[in-house]
Amino acid sequence: MKLSLLLDWRLHVLVAVASLISEAIGIIKIPLGPGSLLLLPLFYAFIIGLLVNPHLFSATSRVVPVKLSEAAAPIILLSIMPFIARFGSTIGPAIEQILSAGPALILQELGNLGTMLIAMPFAVLVLKMGREAIGATYSIAREPNIAIISDKYGLKGPEGIGVMGVYVVGTMFGTLWFALMAGYLTTLDIFDPRALAMACGVGSGSMVAACSGAIAGALPAMRDELLAFAGASNLLTYATGLYISLFIALPLAERIFKWCSGRRVAQSAGAKATVAPDLATPPSAEERPERHLGQTAIVMAVVCAVAWISNTINGGSLLEALPGMVILYAMTMLGLLITRFAPFYLPGVAWVSLVSIAVTLPWFPGNAWIVSQLQSVSFLAIVTPVLAYAGLALSPREFTMFRQVGWKLIIVSLLVFTGTFIGSAVVAQALL
């Protein structure tokens, strides 16, 4: 995409205004039974983005041309990077606490297998789904999980339909679901907050941002510790999630499906597709920001400026937060540079997180100054623009796929997200 379109001032001003409005509204607590439902600024930012999306309401195209909506899509991944850097900066200072909880932090990753323990039986026995249930329930269906299904079954088959259906639902509503679920469970005071924070590490930058942000919003006194645990858990998921999905989760999903479906296995092999998987595809290697570092550096500067402005409501003043934002920008670009030239592949978010962890470790020169400068950059404020970009970026193909996934895959998707979060929290709670 042309750099001039990515830098169109109208797009970024709109996101900045949406973020400022959302931050000004603040956190709203809605009593619900014994707990409370937390509505965060990122929720309002997403809604504002949707309301001005020209693909959803054509009347808004006078203010927001379609080309601006298209330009917002590649910016989403870039806008999450400063947050990942801020996220990682909470891990370094808390490294001793994290190491002391080592077994719980590592083994809770197995709780991600909870995706299928609830969703699979419900999908097969109650909703009468076929093999699409395997692709839909073996993971939370992010890009690496789609690649596994594509390689093993192909995206044209029922397994591919399942994983793509959950991918679309997760793209549109997964972030909000994790935020609402995590915030509510925190207010119930059933789980250790650290266990809930660990459970946020599901391998999705936006989901872990919303999830951990909701928990930190409910318990501001423990914010840094909780964000550190969530960030460390998410980093472990990036490192191990692909292999757990491939060698443990997928074979287990096959076994549970056969146990649940019995004689229906053969009949469901030719089941009619409910989603056209070729309508949406995960980002290709060429779309990764580290492939175009020069262009990325320029756009990232603008993205950081928008986050910097958003930070003024519930963070530090523009002057106070400037050094912190510059540090986040530098850590982000260094992480992407390593991603581009590393001899082995890790996602850019993993490298950015590792860089920010390294420079905030207690023994890193100048770490105290770096950590103090970052204190003026609000964790929640810099993730709010991400959701505004996301609401603006939803395209006709995603709205089309959402209409085609059907109510069955929507229900299964929410069960998948709930299962992986609660499963991980239970394992972590037992081990802490």
Side-chain angles (χ1 to χ4, degrees):
M1 183 171 288
K2 292 182 178 180
L3 181 60
S4 59
L5 189 56
L6 295 174
L7 296 177
D8 193 303
W9 66 270
R10 293 172 296 177
L11 170 62
H12 302 290
V13 167
L14 180 60
V15 169
V17 171
S19 300
L20 289 172
I21 293 173
S22 301
E23 286 294 319
I25 296 173
I27 300 175
I28 296 178
K29 295 183 179 181
I30 302 176
L32 186 63
S36 299
L37 206 57
L38 299 180
L39 300 183
L40 303 176
L42 57 89
F43 175 83
Y44 322 132
F46 183 76
I47 297 301
I48 293 173
L50 278 179
L51 292 177
V52 297
N53 189 314
H55 298 298
L56 187 61
F57 301 106
S58 57
T60 63
S61 61
R62 297 178 181 178
V63 180
V64 184
V66 171
K67 64 179 182 179
L68 288 188
S69 175
E70 294 172 350
I75 293 176
I76 297 174
L77 184 56
L78 292 177
S79 64
I80 198 70
M81 293 297 181
F83 157 75
I84 293 296
R86 180 69 180 91
F87 205 63
S89 70
T90 65
I91 300 175
I95 191 66
E96 293 182 0
Q97 294 171 302
I98 292 171
L99 292 177
S100 67
L105 191 59
I106 295 172
L107 294 177
Q108 65 85 29
E109 292 295 319
L110 296 176
N112 289 336
L113 299 177
T115 54
M116 71 194 80
L117 297 182
I118 300 173
M120 177 72 82
F122 189 86
V124 178
L125 299 177
V126 179
L127 300 181
K128 310 299 181 184
M129 291 175 64
R131 288 186 62 85
E132 59 268 23
I134 295 175
T137 65
Y138 95 105
S139 70
I140 64 166
R142 294 298 91 196
E143 284 79 2
N145 309 119
I146 294 174
I148 291 174
I149 292 294
S150 177
D151 182 66
K152 188 172 179 64
Y153 304 105
L155 293 181
K156 299 283 185 186
E159 299 86 358
I161 291 167
V163 75
M164 287 306 302
V166 177
Y167 175 77
V168 171
V169 175
T171 298
M172 299 188 74
F173 296 116
T175 300
L176 301 179
W177 182 258
F178 269 98
L180 296 174
M181 177 173 54
Y184 184 68
L185 286 177
T186 302
T187 63
L188 292 180
D189 201 26
I190 296 175
F191 291 96
D192 186 316
R194 295 173 299 165
L196 293 176
M198 292 183 205
C200 288
V202 295
S204 166
S206 58
M207 289 180 184
V208 71
C211 180
S212 56
I215 298 173
L219 300 169
M222 298 180 64
R223 185 194 65 179
D224 288 347
E225 181 182 5
L226 295 175
L227 296 183
F229 276 108
S233 174
N234 202 51
L235 189 60
L236 281 175
T237 298
Y238 280 125
T240 65
L242 183 68
Y243 305 102
I244 290 177
S245 295
L246 182 59
F247 298 113
I248 300 178
L250 193 53
L252 183 59
E254 285 275 9
R255 288 181 176 273
I256 295 177
F257 173 76
K258 290 179 181 179
W259 178 79
C260 291
S261 63
R263 295 181 180 180
R264 291 200 303 113
V265 174
Q267 298 175 0
S268 65
K272 185 177 180 180
T274 56
V275 183
D278 55 343
L279 288 176
T281 56
S284 66
E286 285 304 313
E287 293 175 312
R288 295 174 186 150
E290 68 272 12
R291 295 289 180 178
H292 311 281
L293 287 174
Q295 176 174 293
T296 296
I298 299 173
V299 179
M300 184 65 72
V302 176
V303 167
C304 284
V306 172
W308 178 46
I309 294 171
S310 174
N311 184 72
T312 57
I313 299 295
N314 294 309
S317 67
L318 289 177
L319 188 59
E320 291 175 342
L322 182 58
M325 285 306 306
V326 172
I327 291 171
L328 291 179
Y329 174 81
M331 291 192 296
T332 297
M333 291 310 304
L334 180 57
L336 293 178
L337 185 66
I338 296 173
T339 305
R340 179 68 178 87
F341 296 104
F344 57 91
Y345 176 73
L346 275 180
V349 287
W351 283 117
V352 170
S353 181
L354 286 172
V355 168
S356 60
I357 292 171
V359 301
T360 54
L361 288 170
W363 49 84
F364 187 87
N367 81 296
W369 180 82
I370 293 174
V371 171
S372 67
Q373 296 304 314
L374 291 173
Q375 292 302 313
S376 298
V377 181
S378 168
F379 166 79
L380 287 177
I382 62 173
V383 80
T384 300
V386 179
L387 273 295
Y389 284 117
L392 274 168
L394 291 176
S395 65
R397 68 179 185 180
E398 288 169 319
F399 287 119
T400 299
M401 283 197 70
F402 180 70
R403 288 193 296 267
Q404 292 179 346
V405 293
W407 60 273
K408 291 183 179 181
L409 279 178
I410 296 174
I411 294 174
V412 169
S413 298
L414 298 182
L415 287 175
V416 164
F417 303 147
T418 304
T420 189
F421 182 72
I422 294 179
S424 294
V426 168
V427 173
Q429 179 84 9
L431 294 172
L432 277 174

